[in-house]
Amino acid sequence: LFRSHALGFSELVYFHDHLPRILRSVQDRRARIRFLWRTFFLWFKLMMIHLVMATFWAVGPFNALLIAWFVQHEKPQDLNINSWTFLINCVCQVVSFLSFNALFLVSVLLYESVKARVDGSNDPGLSIRWRSPLLHSVSVLLESMLCLPLFFVLAAAAEWIAAVKTAQTHKFHYEVALKPNLSKENVKGSQSSTAGA
């Protein structure tokens, strides 16, 4: 997962590098405007994915410091539940919390939908956690909440490492796992047979 975000960051740099050249190659003014309109959404999606992944680890602690500052300075207008600052903060925190929990629950629903195809899922000796969707949901929620802070720190580290590497060079070396049915000998044999042809 983290490697895909790092590769995605280099794709964003590639996008920025080639956009002016492609834009110059489009001759028609209307086609150029249509091209810019369509690419804006792709660019915005790429940018927001990587911006959120690179900075989300700091959002929670920063929000906690901000709320602590409001409480410590005891200004009634800042602590008022009717203030826009407090309302927007609460809405954003609730939406964020609910969206993460929905994602965790969807993973349980996905397991339940493919459970018949999982080897050993009908075993009567299987733990109650896997047999009860409710217990499975609760355990996934608790485990995910424990792992989430570490996930965001590692995801941000992958983004920032990719940013530094992209600033230094345009060449990346990633080891990609072979497919299970291919061995290195088969790959070398097929490369040598195609090279000899």
PDB file of all heavy atoms in Angstrom, residues 176-192:
ATOM      1  N   VAL A 176       9.437  -5.885  -7.306  1.00  0.00           N
ATOM      2  CA  VAL A 176       8.058  -6.337  -7.446  1.00  0.00           C
ATOM      3  C   VAL A 176       8.059  -7.853  -7.332  1.00  0.00           C
ATOM      4  O   VAL A 176       8.882  -8.531  -7.951  1.00  0.00           O
ATOM      5  CB  VAL A 176       7.473  -5.891  -8.806  1.00  0.00           C
ATOM      6  CG1 VAL A 176       6.048  -6.374  -8.955  1.00  0.00           C
ATOM      7  CG2 VAL A 176       7.545  -4.387  -8.935  1.00  0.00           C
ATOM      8  N   ALA A 177       7.166  -8.377  -6.536  1.00  0.00           N
ATOM      9  CA  ALA A 177       7.105  -9.818  -6.322  1.00  0.00           C
ATOM     10  C   ALA A 177       6.647 -10.528  -7.590  1.00  0.00           C
ATOM     11  O   ALA A 177       5.799 -10.024  -8.331  1.00  0.00           O
ATOM     12  CB  ALA A 177       6.147 -10.130  -5.176  1.00  0.00           C
ATOM     13  N   LEU A 178       7.223 -11.711  -7.828  1.00  0.00           N
ATOM     14  CA  LEU A 178       6.803 -12.525  -8.959  1.00  0.00           C
ATOM     15  C   LEU A 178       5.434 -13.123  -8.689  1.00  0.00           C
ATOM     16  O   LEU A 178       5.058 -13.351  -7.544  1.00  0.00           O
ATOM     17  CB  LEU A 178       7.806 -13.653  -9.200  1.00  0.00           C
ATOM     18  CG  LEU A 178       9.168 -13.248  -9.747  1.00  0.00           C
ATOM     19  CD1 LEU A 178      10.074 -14.475  -9.796  1.00  0.00           C
ATOM     20  CD2 LEU A 178       9.038 -12.649 -11.124  1.00  0.00           C
ATOM     21  N   LYS A 179       4.723 -13.394  -9.750  1.00  0.00           N
ATOM     22  CA  LYS A 179       3.441 -14.082  -9.597  1.00  0.00           C
ATOM     23  C   LYS A 179       3.719 -15.502  -9.111  1.00  0.00           C
ATOM     24  O   LYS A 179       4.760 -16.073  -9.416  1.00  0.00           O
ATOM     25  CB  LYS A 179       2.691 -14.099 -10.924  1.00  0.00           C
ATOM     26  CG  LYS A 179       2.254 -12.716 -11.351  1.00  0.00           C
ATOM     27  CD  LYS A 179       1.446 -12.776 -12.609  1.00  0.00           C
ATOM     28  CE  LYS A 179       0.998 -11.382 -12.979  1.00  0.00           C
ATOM     29  NZ  LYS A 179       0.250 -11.367 -14.220  1.00  0.00           N
ATOM     30  N   PRO A 180       2.790 -16.078  -8.346  1.00  0.00           N
ATOM     31  CA  PRO A 180       3.053 -17.385  -7.735  1.00  0.00           C
ATOM     32  C   PRO A 180       3.388 -18.489  -8.742  1.00  0.00           C
ATOM     33  O   PRO A 180       4.166 -19.376  -8.440  1.00  0.00           O
ATOM     34  CB  PRO A 180       1.766 -17.716  -6.997  1.00  0.00           C
ATOM     35  CG  PRO A 180       1.047 -16.439  -6.844  1.00  0.00           C
ATOM     36  CD  PRO A 180       1.507 -15.551  -7.951  1.00  0.00           C
ATOM     37  N   ASN A 181       2.834 -18.453  -9.937  1.00  0.00           N
ATOM     38  CA  ASN A 181       3.059 -19.531 -10.896  1.00  0.00           C
ATOM     39  C   ASN A 181       4.341 -19.331 -11.708  1.00  0.00           C
ATOM     40  O   ASN A 181       4.670 -20.147 -12.542  1.00  0.00           O
ATOM     41  CB  ASN A 181       1.862 -19.694 -11.822  1.00  0.00           C
ATOM     42  CG  ASN A 181       1.574 -18.433 -12.604  1.00  0.00           C
ATOM     43  OD1 ASN A 181       2.154 -17.387 -12.355  1.00  0.00           O
ATOM     44  ND2 ASN A 181       0.666 -18.537 -13.554  1.00  0.00           N
ATOM     45  N   LEU A 182       5.043 -18.233 -11.483  1.00  0.00           N
ATOM     46  CA  LEU A 182       6.291 -18.005 -12.203  1.00  0.00           C
ATOM     47  C   LEU A 182       7.469 -18.128 -11.247  1.00  0.00           C
ATOM     48  O   LEU A 182       7.439 -17.629 -10.135  1.00  0.00           O
ATOM     49  CB  LEU A 182       6.303 -16.597 -12.807  1.00  0.00           C
ATOM     50  CG  LEU A 182       5.289 -16.315 -13.915  1.00  0.00           C
ATOM     51  CD1 LEU A 182       5.410 -14.873 -14.355  1.00  0.00           C
ATOM     52  CD2 LEU A 182       5.530 -17.223 -15.101  1.00  0.00           C
ATOM     53  N   SER A 183       8.482 -18.799 -11.692  1.00  0.00           N
ATOM     54  CA  SER A 183       9.712 -18.838 -10.921  1.00  0.00           C
ATOM     55  C   SER A 183      10.751 -18.031 -11.686  1.00  0.00           C
ATOM     56  O   SER A 183      10.564 -17.693 -12.847  1.00  0.00           O
ATOM     57  CB  SER A 183      10.189 -20.280 -10.737  1.00  0.00           C
ATOM     58  OG  SER A 183      10.540 -20.829 -11.992  1.00  0.00           O
ATOM     59  N   LYS A 184      11.852 -17.727 -11.035  1.00  0.00           N
ATOM     60  CA  LYS A 184      12.886 -16.940 -11.694  1.00  0.00           C
ATOM     61  C   LYS A 184      13.467 -17.699 -12.881  1.00  0.00           C
ATOM     62  O   LYS A 184      13.835 -17.109 -13.883  1.00  0.00           O
ATOM     63  CB  LYS A 184      13.978 -16.572 -10.696  1.00  0.00           C
ATOM     64  CG  LYS A 184      13.529 -15.540  -9.697  1.00  0.00           C
ATOM     65  CD  LYS A 184      14.663 -15.103  -8.811  1.00  0.00           C
ATOM     66  CE  LYS A 184      14.168 -14.030  -7.856  1.00  0.00           C
ATOM     67  NZ  LYS A 184      15.222 -13.509  -7.009  1.00  0.00           N
ATOM     68  N   GLU A 185      13.542 -19.035 -12.774  1.00  0.00           N
ATOM     69  CA  GLU A 185      14.092 -19.827 -13.884  1.00  0.00           C
ATOM     70  C   GLU A 185      13.180 -19.729 -15.107  1.00  0.00           C
ATOM     71  O   GLU A 185      13.644 -19.611 -16.231  1.00  0.00           O
ATOM     72  CB  GLU A 185      14.269 -21.298 -13.476  1.00  0.00           C
ATOM     73  CG  GLU A 185      15.337 -21.542 -12.433  1.00  0.00           C
ATOM     74  CD  GLU A 185      14.861 -21.219 -11.015  1.00  0.00           C
ATOM     75  OE1 GLU A 185      13.645 -21.270 -10.772  1.00  0.00           O
ATOM     76  OE2 GLU A 185      15.717 -20.912 -10.167  1.00  0.00           O
ATOM     77  N   ASN A 186      11.859 -19.793 -14.879  1.00  0.00           N
ATOM     78  CA  ASN A 186      10.919 -19.677 -16.002  1.00  0.00           C
ATOM     79  C   ASN A 186      11.023 -18.311 -16.657  1.00  0.00           C
ATOM     80  O   ASN A 186      10.966 -18.188 -17.877  1.00  0.00           O
ATOM     81  CB  ASN A 186       9.481 -19.911 -15.539  1.00  0.00           C
ATOM     82  CG  ASN A 186       9.233 -21.347 -15.153  1.00  0.00           C
ATOM     83  OD1 ASN A 186       9.995 -22.238 -15.519  1.00  0.00           O
ATOM     84  ND2 ASN A 186       8.166 -21.574 -14.405  1.00  0.00           N
ATOM     85  N   VAL A 187      11.172 -17.268 -15.853  1.00  0.00           N
ATOM     86  CA  VAL A 187      11.273 -15.920 -16.398  1.00  0.00           C
ATOM     87  C   VAL A 187      12.555 -15.774 -17.189  1.00  0.00           C
ATOM     88  O   VAL A 187      12.564 -15.255 -18.304  1.00  0.00           O
ATOM     89  CB  VAL A 187      11.194 -14.868 -15.270  1.00  0.00           C
ATOM     90  CG1 VAL A 187      11.502 -13.480 -15.805  1.00  0.00           C
ATOM     91  CG2 VAL A 187       9.832 -14.890 -14.627  1.00  0.00           C
ATOM     92  N   LYS A 188      13.680 -16.282 -16.649  1.00  0.00           N
ATOM     93  CA  LYS A 188      14.961 -16.197 -17.365  1.00  0.00           C
ATOM     94  C   LYS A 188      14.922 -17.021 -18.637  1.00  0.00           C
ATOM     95  O   LYS A 188      15.421 -16.611 -19.677  1.00  0.00           O
ATOM     96  CB  LYS A 188      16.112 -16.665 -16.470  1.00  0.00           C
ATOM     97  CG  LYS A 188      16.450 -15.675 -15.368  1.00  0.00           C
ATOM     98  CD  LYS A 188      17.582 -16.212 -14.511  1.00  0.00           C
ATOM     99  CE  LYS A 188      17.841 -15.252 -13.374  1.00  0.00           C
ATOM    100  NZ  LYS A 188      18.864 -15.757 -12.468  1.00  0.00           N
ATOM    101  N   GLY A 189      14.275 -18.176 -18.577  1.00  0.00           N
ATOM    102  CA  GLY A 189      14.160 -19.017 -19.770  1.00  0.00           C
ATOM    103  C   GLY A 189      13.326 -18.362 -20.844  1.00  0.00           C
ATOM    104  O   GLY A 189      13.659 -18.421 -22.027  1.00  0.00           O
ATOM    105  N   SER A 190      12.258 -17.727 -20.482  1.00  0.00           N
ATOM    106  CA  SER A 190      11.411 -17.068 -21.485  1.00  0.00           C
ATOM    107  C   SER A 190      12.112 -15.835 -22.039  1.00  0.00           C
ATOM    108  O   SER A 190      11.969 -15.510 -23.220  1.00  0.00           O
ATOM    109  CB  SER A 190      10.047 -16.681 -20.897  1.00  0.00           C
ATOM    110  OG  SER A 190      10.204 -15.691 -19.902  1.00  0.00           O
ATOM    111  N   GLN A 191      12.930 -15.134 -21.224  1.00  0.00           N
ATOM    112  CA  GLN A 191      13.652 -13.971 -21.730  1.00  0.00           C
ATOM    113  C   GLN A 191      14.747 -14.397 -22.700  1.00  0.00           C
ATOM    114  O   GLN A 191      14.966 -13.771 -23.721  1.00  0.00           O
ATOM    115  CB  GLN A 191      14.252 -13.189 -20.572  1.00  0.00           C
ATOM    116  CG  GLN A 191      13.225 -12.429 -19.764  1.00  0.00           C
ATOM    117  CD  GLN A 191      13.841 -11.729 -18.559  1.00  0.00           C
ATOM    118  OE1 GLN A 191      15.001 -11.982 -18.194  1.00  0.00           O
ATOM    119  NE2 GLN A 191      13.055 -10.888 -17.929  1.00  0.00           N
ATOM    120  N   SER A 192      15.444 -15.504 -22.397  1.00  0.00           N
ATOM    121  CA  SER A 192      16.514 -15.939 -23.274  1.00  0.00           C
ATOM    122  C   SER A 192      15.940 -16.512 -24.584  1.00  0.00           C
ATOM    123  O   SER A 192      16.533 -16.351 -25.636  1.00  0.00           O
ATOM    124  CB  SER A 192      17.397 -16.980 -22.580  1.00  0.00           C
ATOM    125  OG  SER A 192      16.633 -18.130 -22.257  1.00  0.00           O
TER     126      SER A 192
END
